[in-house]
Short mmCIF file of all heavy atoms in Angstrom, two decimals:
data_model
loop_
_atom_site.label_atom_id
_atom_site.label_comp_id
_atom_site.label_asym_id
_atom_site.label_seq_id
_atom_site.Cartn_x
_atom_site.Cartn_y
_atom_site.Cartn_z
N THR A 102 92.60 100.28 90.28
CA THR A 102 92.69 101.43 91.19
C THR A 102 92.82 100.98 92.62
O THR A 102 92.89 101.87 93.50
CB THR A 102 91.52 102.41 90.97
OG1 THR A 102 90.32 101.74 91.22
CG2 THR A 102 91.52 102.98 89.60
N SER A 103 92.65 99.69 92.83
CA SER A 103 92.68 99.18 94.26
C SER A 103 94.01 98.53 94.52
O SER A 103 94.32 97.47 93.87
CB SER A 103 91.56 98.20 94.50
OG SER A 103 91.76 97.46 95.64
N ASN A 104 94.77 99.08 95.40
CA ASN A 104 96.04 98.46 95.75
C ASN A 104 95.91 97.12 96.30
O ASN A 104 96.65 96.16 96.08
CB ASN A 104 96.85 99.34 96.69
CG ASN A 104 97.32 100.61 96.03
OD1 ASN A 104 97.63 100.65 94.84
ND2 ASN A 104 97.37 101.69 96.82
N ASP A 105 94.78 96.92 97.11
CA ASP A 105 94.53 95.58 97.68
C ASP A 105 94.27 94.57 96.61
O ASP A 105 94.71 93.42 96.70
CB ASP A 105 93.30 95.70 98.65
CG ASP A 105 93.62 96.45 99.87
OD1 ASP A 105 94.85 96.60 100.28
OD2 ASP A 105 92.69 96.94 100.56
N ALA A 106 93.53 94.95 95.57
CA ALA A 106 93.30 94.04 94.44
C ALA A 106 94.56 93.69 93.72
O ALA A 106 94.79 92.53 93.32
CB ALA A 106 92.25 94.65 93.45
N VAL A 107 95.43 94.64 93.53
CA VAL A 107 96.72 94.42 92.90
C VAL A 107 97.51 93.42 93.71
O VAL A 107 98.10 92.46 93.17
CB VAL A 107 97.49 95.71 92.63
CG1 VAL A 107 98.92 95.49 92.23
CG2 VAL A 107 96.74 96.56 91.59
N ILE A 108 97.63 93.68 94.99
CA ILE A 108 98.37 92.78 95.91
C ILE A 108 97.79 91.37 95.84
O ILE A 108 98.54 90.43 95.73
CB ILE A 108 98.38 93.35 97.31
CG1 ILE A 108 99.23 94.62 97.31
CG2 ILE A 108 99.04 92.34 98.34
CD1 ILE A 108 99.15 95.47 98.55
N ALA A 109 96.52 91.27 95.88
CA ALA A 109 95.86 89.90 95.89
C ALA A 109 96.23 89.26 94.54
O ALA A 109 96.49 88.04 94.54
CB ALA A 109 94.37 90.05 96.05
N ALA A 110 96.19 89.93 93.44
CA ALA A 110 96.42 89.34 92.15
C ALA A 110 97.89 88.91 92.12
O ALA A 110 98.24 87.73 91.62
CB ALA A 110 96.20 90.36 90.96
N VAL A 111 98.79 89.64 92.54
CA VAL A 111 100.20 89.30 92.52
C VAL A 111 100.55 88.14 93.46
O VAL A 111 101.27 87.19 93.17
CB VAL A 111 101.13 90.50 92.79
CG1 VAL A 111 102.53 90.18 92.88
CG2 VAL A 111 100.91 91.57 91.67
N VAL A 112 100.00 88.18 94.67
CA VAL A 112 100.10 87.06 95.59
C VAL A 112 99.61 85.73 94.93
O VAL A 112 100.15 84.70 95.16
CB VAL A 112 99.45 87.33 96.94
CG1 VAL A 112 99.36 86.09 97.80
CG2 VAL A 112 100.21 88.38 97.72
N GLY A 113 98.59 85.86 94.17
CA GLY A 113 97.91 84.79 93.49
C GLY A 113 98.68 84.30 92.26
O GLY A 113 98.28 83.38 91.59
N GLY A 114 99.76 84.98 91.95
CA GLY A 114 100.64 84.53 90.85
C GLY A 114 100.28 85.07 89.47
O GLY A 114 100.70 84.58 88.45
N PHE A 115 99.52 86.25 89.47
CA PHE A 115 99.03 86.88 88.24
C PHE A 115 100.13 87.65 87.50
O PHE A 115 100.04 87.95 86.32
CB PHE A 115 97.90 87.78 88.55
CG PHE A 115 96.90 87.93 87.43
CD1 PHE A 115 96.12 86.88 86.98
CD2 PHE A 115 96.82 89.14 86.74
CE1 PHE A 115 95.18 87.13 85.97
CE2 PHE A 115 95.92 89.32 85.79
CZ PHE A 115 95.13 88.34 85.36
N GLY A 116 101.26 88.02 88.17
CA GLY A 116 102.31 88.75 87.53
C GLY A 116 103.12 89.52 88.54
O GLY A 116 103.15 89.20 89.71
N LEU A 117 103.85 90.51 87.99
CA LEU A 117 104.73 91.33 88.86
C LEU A 117 104.05 92.74 89.05
O LEU A 117 103.33 93.19 88.15
CB LEU A 117 106.08 91.57 88.21
CG LEU A 117 106.91 90.36 87.87
CD1 LEU A 117 108.16 90.75 87.09
CD2 LEU A 117 107.25 89.67 89.18
N THR A 118 104.31 93.42 90.10
CA THR A 118 103.86 94.75 90.31
C THR A 118 104.87 95.61 90.87
O THR A 118 105.94 95.10 91.36
CB THR A 118 102.54 94.77 91.15
OG1 THR A 118 101.94 96.08 91.04
CG2 THR A 118 102.86 94.48 92.66
N ARG A 119 104.65 96.86 90.93
CA ARG A 119 105.56 97.84 91.58
C ARG A 119 104.67 98.64 92.55
O ARG A 119 103.76 99.38 92.17
CB ARG A 119 106.24 98.72 90.61
CG ARG A 119 107.25 99.64 91.19
CD ARG A 119 107.92 100.43 90.13
NE ARG A 119 109.19 101.00 90.56
CZ ARG A 119 109.90 101.88 89.91
NH1 ARG A 119 109.51 102.26 88.73
NH2 ARG A 119 110.98 102.34 90.44
N LEU A 120 105.08 98.57 93.84
CA LEU A 120 104.33 99.26 94.93
C LEU A 120 105.30 99.87 95.94
O LEU A 120 106.49 99.54 95.89
CB LEU A 120 103.39 98.33 95.62
CG LEU A 120 102.13 97.80 94.81
CD1 LEU A 120 101.44 96.73 95.51
CD2 LEU A 120 101.19 98.95 94.58
N ILE A 121 104.75 100.64 96.80
CA ILE A 121 105.59 101.18 97.87
C ILE A 121 105.83 100.04 98.89
O ILE A 121 104.86 99.39 99.23
CB ILE A 121 104.95 102.46 98.48
CG1 ILE A 121 104.82 103.51 97.41
CG2 ILE A 121 105.74 102.98 99.64
CD1 ILE A 121 104.05 104.75 97.79
N SER A 122 106.99 99.94 99.42
CA SER A 122 107.42 98.80 100.24
C SER A 122 106.48 98.56 101.42
O SER A 122 106.24 97.38 101.73
CB SER A 122 108.88 98.94 100.67
OG SER A 122 109.04 100.12 101.39
N TYR A 123 105.98 99.52 102.03
CA TYR A 123 105.13 99.28 103.23
C TYR A 123 103.82 98.58 102.87
O TYR A 123 103.26 97.86 103.70
CB TYR A 123 104.82 100.57 104.10
CG TYR A 123 103.76 101.45 103.47
CD1 TYR A 123 102.44 101.26 103.80
CD2 TYR A 123 104.06 102.47 102.61
CE1 TYR A 123 101.46 102.08 103.30
CE2 TYR A 123 103.07 103.31 102.10
CZ TYR A 123 101.76 103.08 102.45
OH TYR A 123 100.80 103.90 101.86
N MET A 124 103.37 98.79 101.64
CA MET A 124 102.12 98.17 101.26
C MET A 124 102.28 96.61 101.13
O MET A 124 101.25 95.94 101.35
CB MET A 124 101.68 98.70 99.93
CG MET A 124 101.31 100.17 99.90
SD MET A 124 100.98 100.74 98.22
CE MET A 124 100.57 102.42 98.45
N VAL A 125 103.39 96.15 100.81
CA VAL A 125 103.60 94.68 100.66
C VAL A 125 104.48 94.08 101.75
O VAL A 125 104.74 92.94 101.71
CB VAL A 125 104.25 94.40 99.20
CG1 VAL A 125 103.19 94.74 98.13
CG2 VAL A 125 105.53 95.06 99.05
N ALA A 126 104.87 94.83 102.70
CA ALA A 126 105.71 94.39 103.77
C ALA A 126 105.24 93.07 104.48
O ALA A 126 106.07 92.17 104.66
CB ALA A 126 105.99 95.49 104.79
N PRO A 127 103.96 92.99 104.83
CA PRO A 127 103.55 91.74 105.44
C PRO A 127 103.73 90.50 104.55
O PRO A 127 104.03 89.40 104.97
CB PRO A 127 102.07 91.95 105.81
CG PRO A 127 101.88 93.44 105.72
CD PRO A 127 102.90 93.94 104.83
N HIS A 128 103.49 90.73 103.23
CA HIS A 128 103.56 89.63 102.29
C HIS A 128 105.04 89.20 102.02
O HIS A 128 105.32 88.04 101.85
CB HIS A 128 102.88 89.96 100.98
CG HIS A 128 101.38 90.28 101.16
ND1 HIS A 128 100.45 89.29 101.42
CD2 HIS A 128 100.77 91.37 101.18
CE1 HIS A 128 99.31 89.75 101.53
NE2 HIS A 128 99.36 91.06 101.41
N LEU A 129 105.88 90.26 102.04
CA LEU A 129 107.30 89.90 101.92
C LEU A 129 107.82 89.12 103.09
O LEU A 129 108.56 88.19 103.02
CB LEU A 129 108.13 91.25 101.69
CG LEU A 129 107.87 92.00 100.39
CD1 LEU A 129 108.51 93.32 100.50
CD2 LEU A 129 108.39 91.13 99.25
N ALA A 130 107.44 89.60 104.28
CA ALA A 130 107.87 88.98 105.53
C ALA A 130 107.34 87.54 105.63
O ALA A 130 108.10 86.66 106.15
CB ALA A 130 107.35 89.78 106.76
N ALA A 131 106.18 87.27 105.18
CA ALA A 131 105.61 85.89 105.19
C ALA A 131 106.11 85.04 103.99
O ALA A 131 105.72 83.83 104.01
CB ALA A 131 104.07 86.05 105.21
N GLY A 132 106.83 85.57 103.10
CA GLY A 132 107.29 84.80 101.98
C GLY A 132 106.32 84.63 100.86
O GLY A 132 106.55 83.95 99.87
N ARG A 133 105.14 85.30 100.92
CA ARG A 133 104.19 85.27 99.82
C ARG A 133 104.54 86.10 98.61
O ARG A 133 104.03 85.77 97.52
CB ARG A 133 102.82 85.73 100.34
CG ARG A 133 102.19 84.81 101.37
CD ARG A 133 100.79 85.21 101.77
NE ARG A 133 100.75 86.48 102.46
CZ ARG A 133 100.83 86.71 103.79
NH1 ARG A 133 100.94 85.56 104.55
NH2 ARG A 133 100.83 87.82 104.36
N LEU A 134 105.50 87.03 98.88
CA LEU A 134 106.01 87.85 97.74
C LEU A 134 107.50 87.93 97.89
O LEU A 134 108.04 87.81 99.04
CB LEU A 134 105.40 89.25 97.74
CG LEU A 134 103.91 89.40 97.36
CD1 LEU A 134 103.53 90.82 97.47
CD2 LEU A 134 103.70 88.85 95.99
N LYS A 135 108.22 88.11 96.77
CA LYS A 135 109.65 88.36 96.75
C LYS A 135 109.91 89.54 95.91
O LYS A 135 109.30 89.74 94.84
CB LYS A 135 110.38 87.15 96.19
CG LYS A 135 110.30 85.94 97.03
CD LYS A 135 111.19 84.78 96.52
CE LYS A 135 111.16 83.65 97.43
NZ LYS A 135 112.07 82.61 97.06
N THR A 136 110.94 90.41 96.32
CA THR A 136 111.27 91.56 95.49
C THR A 136 112.28 91.12 94.41
O THR A 136 113.05 90.16 94.63
CB THR A 136 111.88 92.64 96.31
OG1 THR A 136 113.04 92.14 97.06
CG2 THR A 136 110.89 93.24 97.37
N VAL A 137 112.22 91.81 93.34
CA VAL A 137 113.20 91.60 92.19
C VAL A 137 113.75 92.99 91.77
O VAL A 137 113.13 93.97 92.18
CB VAL A 137 112.54 90.90 91.01
CG1 VAL A 137 112.08 89.49 91.43
CG2 VAL A 137 111.31 91.68 90.48
N LEU A 138 114.76 93.00 91.05
CA LEU A 138 115.41 94.18 90.51
C LEU A 138 115.78 95.18 91.62
O LEU A 138 115.90 96.37 91.40
CB LEU A 138 114.42 94.87 89.56
CG LEU A 138 114.02 94.08 88.27
CD1 LEU A 138 112.97 94.83 87.49
CD2 LEU A 138 115.26 93.74 87.48
N THR A 139 116.15 94.73 92.81
CA THR A 139 116.52 95.58 93.92
C THR A 139 117.77 96.44 93.57
O THR A 139 117.82 97.61 94.05
CB THR A 139 116.75 94.81 95.16
OG1 THR A 139 117.67 93.74 95.03
CG2 THR A 139 115.45 94.31 95.76
N PRO A 140 118.77 95.95 92.78
CA PRO A 140 119.86 96.80 92.48
C PRO A 140 119.47 98.05 91.64
O PRO A 140 120.22 98.98 91.54
CB PRO A 140 120.85 95.96 91.59
CG PRO A 140 120.41 94.53 92.00
CD PRO A 140 118.98 94.61 92.24
N TYR A 141 118.31 98.03 91.10
CA TYR A 141 117.88 99.13 90.22
C TYR A 141 116.84 100.08 90.92
O TYR A 141 116.26 100.91 90.27
CB TYR A 141 117.23 98.55 88.87
CG TYR A 141 118.18 97.75 88.15
CD1 TYR A 141 118.30 96.41 88.26
CD2 TYR A 141 119.03 98.38 87.22
CE1 TYR A 141 119.20 95.67 87.55
CE2 TYR A 141 120.00 97.67 86.50
CZ TYR A 141 120.06 96.31 86.67
OH TYR A 141 121.03 95.64 85.99
N GLU A 142 116.53 99.84 92.19
CA GLU A 142 115.56 100.67 92.88
C GLU A 142 116.09 102.13 92.96
O GLU A 142 117.30 102.37 93.15
CB GLU A 142 115.39 100.15 94.31
CG GLU A 142 114.58 98.87 94.33
CD GLU A 142 114.42 98.37 95.77
OE1 GLU A 142 114.84 99.02 96.74
OE2 GLU A 142 113.87 97.25 95.91
N SER A 143 115.16 103.06 92.93
CA SER A 143 115.45 104.40 93.22
C SER A 143 115.78 104.55 94.72
O SER A 143 115.54 103.70 95.50
CB SER A 143 114.30 105.31 92.88
OG SER A 143 113.97 105.12 91.47
N ALA A 144 116.39 105.77 95.03
CA ALA A 144 116.71 106.01 96.42
C ALA A 144 115.46 105.97 97.23
O ALA A 144 114.34 106.31 96.80
CB ALA A 144 117.37 107.37 96.49
N PRO A 145 115.55 105.50 98.53
CA PRO A 145 114.40 105.51 99.34
C PRO A 145 113.81 106.89 99.55
O PRO A 145 114.41 107.92 99.45
CB PRO A 145 114.95 104.98 100.75
CG PRO A 145 116.23 104.34 100.38
CD PRO A 145 116.71 105.05 99.21
N MET A 146 112.47 106.89 99.74
CA MET A 146 111.66 108.12 100.01
C MET A 146 111.49 108.35 101.47
O MET A 146 111.15 107.38 102.22
CB MET A 146 110.34 108.04 99.30
CG MET A 146 110.40 107.98 97.85
SD MET A 146 108.72 107.86 97.14
CE MET A 146 108.29 106.17 97.60
N PRO A 147 111.88 109.48 101.97
CA PRO A 147 111.62 109.79 103.44
C PRO A 147 110.13 109.85 103.77
O PRO A 147 109.35 110.24 102.95
CB PRO A 147 112.34 111.05 103.66
CG PRO A 147 112.32 111.74 102.33
CD PRO A 147 112.35 110.65 101.30
N ILE A 148 109.82 109.48 105.04
CA ILE A 148 108.47 109.67 105.64
C ILE A 148 108.70 110.71 106.73
O ILE A 148 109.55 110.57 107.60
CB ILE A 148 107.93 108.35 106.17
CG1 ILE A 148 107.88 107.31 105.09
CG2 ILE A 148 106.53 108.62 106.73
CD1 ILE A 148 107.52 105.96 105.70
N ASN A 149 107.82 111.70 106.73
CA ASN A 149 107.87 112.77 107.75
C ASN A 149 106.47 112.98 108.28
O ASN A 149 105.47 113.00 107.55
CB ASN A 149 108.38 114.10 107.15
CG ASN A 149 109.78 114.00 106.78
OD1 ASN A 149 110.68 114.01 107.66
ND2 ASN A 149 110.10 113.90 105.50
N VAL A 150 106.43 113.36 109.55
CA VAL A 150 105.23 113.85 110.20
C VAL A 150 105.41 115.39 110.05
O VAL A 150 106.39 115.94 110.59
CB VAL A 150 105.09 113.38 111.64
CG1 VAL A 150 103.90 114.16 112.27
CG2 VAL A 150 104.84 111.87 111.70
N VAL A 151 104.49 116.05 109.41
CA VAL A 151 104.58 117.46 109.08
C VAL A 151 103.49 118.16 109.92
O VAL A 151 102.35 117.67 110.00
CB VAL A 151 104.33 117.68 107.61
CG1 VAL A 151 104.47 119.16 107.29
CG2 VAL A 151 105.37 116.95 106.80
N HIS A 152 103.88 119.29 110.54
CA HIS A 152 102.88 120.02 111.33
C HIS A 152 103.29 121.51 111.36
O HIS A 152 104.38 121.91 110.95
CB HIS A 152 102.87 119.46 112.80
CG HIS A 152 104.16 119.56 113.51
ND1 HIS A 152 104.50 120.55 114.34
CD2 HIS A 152 105.17 118.69 113.54
CE1 HIS A 152 105.67 120.36 114.85
NE2 HIS A 152 106.16 119.18 114.35
N HIS A 153 102.37 122.30 111.78
CA HIS A 153 102.65 123.75 111.92
C HIS A 153 103.70 123.95 112.96
O HIS A 153 103.85 123.18 113.87
CB HIS A 153 101.34 124.48 112.36
CG HIS A 153 100.23 124.34 111.39
ND1 HIS A 153 100.22 124.94 110.19
CD2 HIS A 153 99.11 123.56 111.48
CE1 HIS A 153 99.06 124.58 109.56
NE2 HIS A 153 98.39 123.78 110.26
N GLU A 154 104.34 125.02 112.88
CA GLU A 154 105.40 125.34 113.88
C GLU A 154 104.87 125.32 115.30
O GLU A 154 103.67 125.49 115.52
CB GLU A 154 106.00 126.69 113.58
CG GLU A 154 106.82 126.69 112.35
CD GLU A 154 107.73 127.90 112.15
OE1 GLU A 154 108.41 128.27 113.16
OE2 GLU A 154 107.83 128.39 111.09
#
Side-chain angles (χ1 to χ4, degrees):
T102 58
S103 165
N104 292 325
D105 290 337
V107 168
I108 293 167
V111 174
V112 167
F115 207 71
L117 301 174
T118 194
R119 187 177 197 188
L120 290 168
I121 299 173
S122 56
Y123 79 89
M124 295 176 181
V125 294
H128 300 286
L129 293 171
R133 291 184 294 269
L134 292 177
K135 292 186 177 184
T136 58
V137 297
L138 300 175
T139 53
Y141 299 94
E142 288 178 5
S143 300
M146 295 178 288
I148 304 172
N149 291 284
V150 173
V151 180
H152 60 94
H153 300 287
E154 291 195 43

